[in-house]
């Protein structure tokens, strides 16, 4: 007999019972996940804690088994493992370690574009340009000994040249005393001492006159090869830092940095002091002095005797929160022993910037007031005045990369072939892409 | 079972289901957490002022009073520990702190950017093993293997302790 299946529509009775069953099952499931009483809950916590302690003991045993001595150097590998697990954790570049030596490699790059009146090149109104590649490496050889090297690839005419900008070893005896030997940037320019060749580090596209290097028309000795001692004292009113340097000094012409040879017996002496008061956030003020005897230049009849050089500079660096102010002024005195003439040159700048998120608008006023005819600066036409104002904005669109746009305008003296000097206006738009990793 | 009893069963079941998560929510009430600055137990230092803490955390001061070099161990960038330090100690954004370390390294003022340790357990372990290390962990996670420093004379939990993470609203 064929059985007939019939569909019985649910009644309200069925709905209630099914709902009640589902709810009851849900409650039972919840009760299984959640401890039903405090006693059970605490027991479970105690079990977990016990298991955790056992695991920690085991980890400790395993780690101590692999180590012959308990110091941080042995932990370095573990710490780096952690670092690698969280690659965004630090801005350390490429870090390599072996034994107790820790090495950091960093790569700074900069390319740009500029257009201006008068044109930036002889042929056209505008140019794209390779600016620099900065290969930076520093190594901690021991807790007190550090080695640092900065090598630059930069444009020279239409060629790319390699330049060793800094290389030194520094031994830190105590906070109050360190000894540094090698090639380093002189403290006579605060800008150079804090930014070096790292374009990404400073807000603007171009450096101020005081921060310009010897081969870029700068009037200051940016580099030195010599011995530096320094340190700092932490006082209740603030921190005092001192630096004293004896070095080869400048060569016969401003572009000769004398980092490999020395053309005279006289050494240059530098002394710098810096004070960071406790009462003001991120404020430091400082002064630097330099004495040097510039050797004669046999190829220049106007430079057959040495020039006595005295330089004094001062700076204010204040960075509370998102605000940033840097100002510097420098006075360069030259006493020409051939003509008996004295020349005094003054240069300075004031730069103000304010960060709003990723954008940092900035302005800078920069001047160079020179006494014309100084035989040391004349061959490079560096003895001419210049006044420049810059308005720009920096965009940190990535943690490690920035775009900078700036417009500079002002007046500058130009020496014509006839020897006549005129003052002309200029305007230039600069764009720069800089990065590091 | 009558219709009324059935309804009662359903209502009681639903009440039970909803009460379980509610009771859990009460247990997970947010609380204030204190950040402890920890050093090795052999380190003679007992406490720091807020100014000294900032100098230590920025490596503006690189030596302990016993002339040993400070080994600063950072916590991950986005961790609550680092966020609290940025607000109360560094007083700068995460991005600025990163730039600060790069700049310090480039200037040769520090021999390397401080290492970062991700887990609290390993942080405590590293500080326990290194005589000159300093780092931070939440006070309720610190163990007796390390010393918690007084900040401005206060220990975590004491009134006026400056490194407090307020519960998010």
């Amino acid at each position: 007999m064929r059985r007939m299946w019939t569909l019985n529509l649910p009644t309200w009775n069925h709905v209630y019972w099914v709902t009640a069953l589902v709810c009851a099952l849900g409650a039972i499931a919840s009760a299984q996940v959640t401890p039903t009483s405090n006693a059970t809950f605490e027991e479970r916590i105690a079990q977990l804690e016990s298991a955790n302690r056992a695991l920690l003991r085991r980890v400790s045993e395993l780690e101590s088994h692999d180590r012959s001595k308990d110091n941080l150097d042995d932990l370095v590998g573990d710490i780096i493992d952690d670092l690698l697990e969280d690659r965004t954790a630090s801005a350390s570049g490429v870090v390599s370690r072996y034994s107790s030596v820790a090495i950091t490699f960093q790569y700074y790059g900069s390319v740009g574009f500029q257009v201006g009146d008068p044109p930036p090149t002889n042929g056209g109104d505008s140019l794209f340009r390779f600016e620099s590649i900065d290969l930076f490496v520093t190594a901690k050889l021991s807790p007190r000994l550090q080695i640092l090297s900065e090598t630059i690839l930069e444009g020279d005419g239409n060629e790319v040249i390699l330049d060793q900008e800094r290389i030194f070893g520094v031994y830190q005896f105590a906070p109050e005393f360190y000894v540094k030997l090698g090639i380093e940037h002189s403290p006579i320019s605060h800008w150079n001492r804090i930014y070096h060749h790292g374009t990404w580090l400073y807000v603007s596209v171009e450096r101020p006159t005081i921060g310009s290097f010897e081969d870029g028309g700068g009037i200051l000795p940016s580099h030195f090869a010599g011995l530096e001692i320094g340190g700092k004292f932490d006082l209740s009113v603030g921190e005092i830092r001192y630096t004293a340097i004896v070095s080869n000094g400048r060569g016969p012409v401003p572009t000769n940095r004398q980092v490999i040879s020395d053309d005279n017996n006289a050494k240059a002496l530098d002394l710098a002091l810096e004070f960071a008061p406790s009462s003001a956030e991120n404020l430091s003020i400082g002064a630097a002095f330099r004495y040097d005897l510039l050797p004669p230049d046999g190829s220049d009849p106007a430079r057959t005797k040495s020039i006595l050089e005295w330089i004094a500079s001062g700076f204010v660096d204040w960075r509370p929160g998102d605000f940033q102010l840097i100002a510097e002024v420098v006075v360069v005195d030259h006493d020409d022993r051939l003509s008996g003439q004295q020349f005094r040159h003054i240069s300075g700048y004031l730069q103000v910037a304010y960060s709003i998120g990723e954008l940092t608008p900035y302005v800078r006023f920069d001047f160079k007031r020179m006494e014309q005819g100084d035989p040391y600066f004349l061959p490079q036409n560096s003895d001419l005045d210049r006044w420049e104002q810059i308005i720009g904005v920096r965009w940190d669109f990535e943690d490690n990369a920035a775009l900078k746009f700036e417009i500079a305008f002002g007046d500058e003296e130009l020496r014509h072939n006839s020897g006549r000097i005129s003052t002309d206006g200029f305007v230039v738009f600069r764009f720069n892409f800089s990065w590091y990793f | 079972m009558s219709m009324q009893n059935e309804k009662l069963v359903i209502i009681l079941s639903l009440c039970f289901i909803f009460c379980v998560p509610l009771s859990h929510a009460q247990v997970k009430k947010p609380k204030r957490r204190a950040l402890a600055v920890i050093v090795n137990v052999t380190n003679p230092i007992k406490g720091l002022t807020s100014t000294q803490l900032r100098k230590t955390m920025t490596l503006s001061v690189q030596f302990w009073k016993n002339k040993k070099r400070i080994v600063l161990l950072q916590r991950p960038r986005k961790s609550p520990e680092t966020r609290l330090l940025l607000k109360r100690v560094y007083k700068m954004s995460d991005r600025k702190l990163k730039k600060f370390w790069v700049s310090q390294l480039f200037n040769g003022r520090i021999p390397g950017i401080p290492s970062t340790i991700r887990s609290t357990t390993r942080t405590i372990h590293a500080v326990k093993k290194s005589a000159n290390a300093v780092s931070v962990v939440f006070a309720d996670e610190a163990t007796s293997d390390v010393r918690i420093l007084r900040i401005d004379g206060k220990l975590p939990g004491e009134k006026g302790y400056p490194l407090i993470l307020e519960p998010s609203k």
Side-chain angles (χ1 to χ4, degrees):
Chain A
M1 190 175 167
R2 195 173 171 188
R3 184 167 178 172
M4 297 293 290
W5 291 94
T6 56
L7 183 67
N8 292 326
L9 290 171
T11 63
W12 279 113
N13 244 358
H14 289 108
V15 172
Y16 286 138
W17 277 113
V18 168
T19 311
L21 186 63
V22 168
C23 292
L25 285 171
I28 290 163
S30 297
Q32 281 174 344
V33 173
T34 312
T36 50
S37 69
N38 281 342
T40 319
F41 183 72
E42 282 165 5
E43 278 170 18
R44 182 72 184 134
I45 290 291
Q47 281 172 5
L48 286 171
E49 281 179 344
S50 171
N52 192 37
R53 275 196 295 272
L55 278 172
L56 284 175
R57 270 199 302 275
R58 183 65 185 142
V59 167
S60 184
E61 281 168 17
L62 286 170
E63 287 181 341
S64 59
H65 179 71
D66 289 339
R67 295 196 181 90
S68 56
K69 51 182 182 173
D70 282 346
N71 63 33
L72 192 75
D73 293 337
D74 296 318
L75 274 169
V76 155
D78 298 341
I79 293 166
I80 287 301
D81 287 346
D82 260 312
L83 188 70
L84 293 177
E85 283 170 24
D86 185 4
R87 288 175 189 277
T88 59
S90 153
S92 50
V94 179
V95 180
S96 174
R97 294 177 197 255
Y98 66 90
S99 183
S100 61
V101 178
I103 310 163
T104 306
F105 299 91
Q106 286 183 334
Y107 175 102
Y108 290 75
S110 175
V111 291
F113 168 80
Q114 72 178 64
V115 56
D117 178 25
T121 61
N122 292 331
D125 293 336
S126 62
L127 81 153
F128 291 94
R129 60 175 181 169
F130 157 73
E131 290 174 356
S132 66
I133 291 172
D134 189 333
L135 306 169
F136 174 81
V137 59
T138 183
K140 188 179 77 170
L141 302 189
S142 77
R144 292 178 187 276
L145 179 60
Q146 181 184 0
I147 305 294
L148 187 149
S149 168
E150 185 183 10
T151 308
I152 293 278
L153 285 94
E154 60 187 346
D156 183 16
N158 230 5
E159 293 179 354
V160 174
I161 59 165
L162 195 68
D163 223 342
Q164 186 64 38
E165 304 292 350
R166 290 189 288 163
I167 181 161
F168 60 75
V170 56
Y171 193 87
Q172 185 97 40
F173 289 90
E176 299 82 13
F177 186 65
Y178 69 80
V179 176
K180 185 187 283 185
L181 182 66
I183 304 168
E184 166 68 302
H185 289 125
S186 165
I188 205 75
S189 163
H190 176 67
W191 183 283
N192 285 343
R193 192 75 171 186
I194 58 171
Y195 294 129
H196 307 281
H197 294 259
T199 310
W200 178 81
L201 289 171
Y202 49 83
V203 168
S204 56
V205 177
E206 283 291 327
R207 313 169 74 88
T209 304
I210 289 180
S212 296
F213 295 112
E214 298 93 336
D215 52 2
I219 60 169
L220 295 180
S222 301
H223 300 80
F224 73 84
L227 178 74
E228 173 183 322
I229 61 166
K232 60 185 178 183
F233 294 92
D234 206 358
L235 310 173
S236 58
V237 291
E239 192 175 273
I240 292 178
R241 301 175 197 129
Y242 74 94
T243 310
I245 300 162
V246 57
S247 64
N248 289 341
R250 299 174 111 171
V253 294
T255 49
N256 184 344
R257 303 186 307 190
Q258 296 204 134
V259 294
I260 296 171
S261 63
D262 190 356
D263 276 22
N264 63 2
N265 285 328
K267 297 295 175 200
L269 301 172
D270 283 79
L271 179 66
L273 289 170
E274 191 177 335
F275 177 59
S278 311
S279 53
E281 184 190 342
N282 295 331
L283 169 67
S284 60
I285 53 176
F289 307 92
R290 180 183 172 95
Y291 158 84
D292 194 9
L293 195 60
L294 312 179
D297 179 6
S299 62
D300 184 353
R303 285 291 331 282
T304 53
K305 285 195 174 179
S306 56
I307 294 174
L308 182 66
E309 180 178 68
W310 282 97
I311 304 177
S313 68
F315 75 86
V316 177
D317 190 326
W318 188 37
R319 301 168 194 234
D322 295 321
F323 180 74
Q324 182 189 114
L325 181 149
I326 312 178
E328 265 190 281
V329 65
V330 64
V331 178
V332 180
D333 275 356
H334 280 173
D335 184 353
D336 181 16
R337 291 185 167 177
L338 180 66
S339 65
Q341 280 186 293
Q342 292 182 336
F343 302 90
R344 171 162 289 183
H345 315 292
I346 302 173
S347 182
Y349 70 89
L350 166 70
Q351 180 176 292
V352 178
Y354 189 83
S355 296
I356 307 157
E358 294 170 352
L359 296 177
T360 306
Y362 59 91
V363 292
R364 187 168 74 210
F365 306 95
D366 188 359
F367 73 94
K368 183 178 73 157
R369 187 158 297 161
M370 310 291 285
E371 281 195 31
Q372 290 168 12
D374 184 334
Y376 193 66
F377 291 134
L378 192 141
Q380 287 81 33
N381 287 324
S382 303
D383 62 329
L384 301 175
D385 291 355
R386 183 180 167 90
W387 169 261
E388 183 184 64
Q389 299 131 97
I390 291 176
I391 300 171
V393 63
R394 173 192 173 112
W395 178 30
D396 285 287
F397 67 103
E398 293 286 349
D399 275 4
N400 296 17
L403 292 173
K404 306 175 191 177
F405 310 84
E406 70 181 28
I407 296 172
F409 54 97
D411 296 308
E412 62 183 348
E413 289 183 331
L414 295 171
R415 182 174 278 120
H416 300 271
N417 290 336
S418 62
R420 186 178 64 86
I421 292 171
S422 65
T423 303
D424 293 343
F426 68 90
V427 59
V428 57
F429 168 79
R430 304 183 190 115
F431 164 74
N432 169 273
F433 170 42
S434 57
W435 67 88
Y436 92 95
F437 55 82
Chain B
M1 191 180 285
S2 69
M3 188 75 88
Q4 274 196 335
N5 285 344
E6 287 169 6
K7 282 180 182 173
L8 190 63
V9 167
I10 292 166
I11 289 163
L12 286 174
S13 302
L14 288 173
C15 285
F16 181 70
I17 289 165
F18 284 116
C19 282
V20 169
L22 280 176
S23 65
H24 272 257
Q26 281 170 351
V27 170
K28 289 179 181 175
K29 200 175 182 179
K31 58 179 182 179
R32 298 167 88 227
R33 297 183 81 189
L35 192 67
V37 180
I38 56 170
V39 295
N40 188 278
V41 288
T42 61
N43 194 323
I45 196 159
K46 301 286 189 292
L48 296 168
T49 64
S50 292
T51 308
Q52 288 171 330
L53 177 63
R54 186 168 198 272
K55 287 184 173 183
T56 306
M57 288 294 167
T58 54
L59 289 180
S60 172
V61 170
Q62 295 188 31
F63 291 87
W64 296 114
K65 281 185 177 172
N66 60 9
K67 306 295 181 193
K68 299 286 185 186
R69 193 150 202 161
I70 293 172
V71 178
L72 174 63
L73 302 172
Q74 294 191 104
R75 304 307 308 277
R77 281 181 76 183
K78 304 292 181 190
S79 67
E81 292 92 336
T82 298
R83 281 206 293 264
L84 183 58
L85 280 181
L86 286 169
K87 190 176 174 186
R88 297 288 166 86
V89 179
Y90 290 113
K91 293 177 181 166
M92 60 176 89
S93 67
D94 172 49
R95 178 171 277 186
K96 279 205 166 180
L97 180 63
K98 186 174 175 178
K99 192 169 182 178
F100 169 80
W101 286 128
V102 173
S103 173
Q104 292 293 94
L105 183 75
F106 201 62
N107 276 319
R109 288 188 174 178
I110 54 172
I113 291 175
S115 298
T116 300
I117 306 188
R118 196 164 59 168
S119 78
T120 300
T121 310
R122 295 195 89 154
T123 304
I124 293 169
H125 184 64
V127 173
K128 180 188 166 189
K129 291 282 183 181
S130 169
N132 306 312
V134 59
S135 192
V136 292
V137 296
F138 280 112
D140 51 17
E141 294 173 332
T143 67
S144 57
D145 293 330
V146 292
R147 173 181 296 146
I148 297 176
L149 295 184
R150 289 180 179 272
I151 306 298
D152 294 332
K154 304 280 195 312
L155 280 172
E158 291 181 3
K159 196 178 177 185
Y161 185 75
L163 302 178
I164 297 290
L165 180 70
E166 298 291 345
S168 53
K169 290 171 185 172

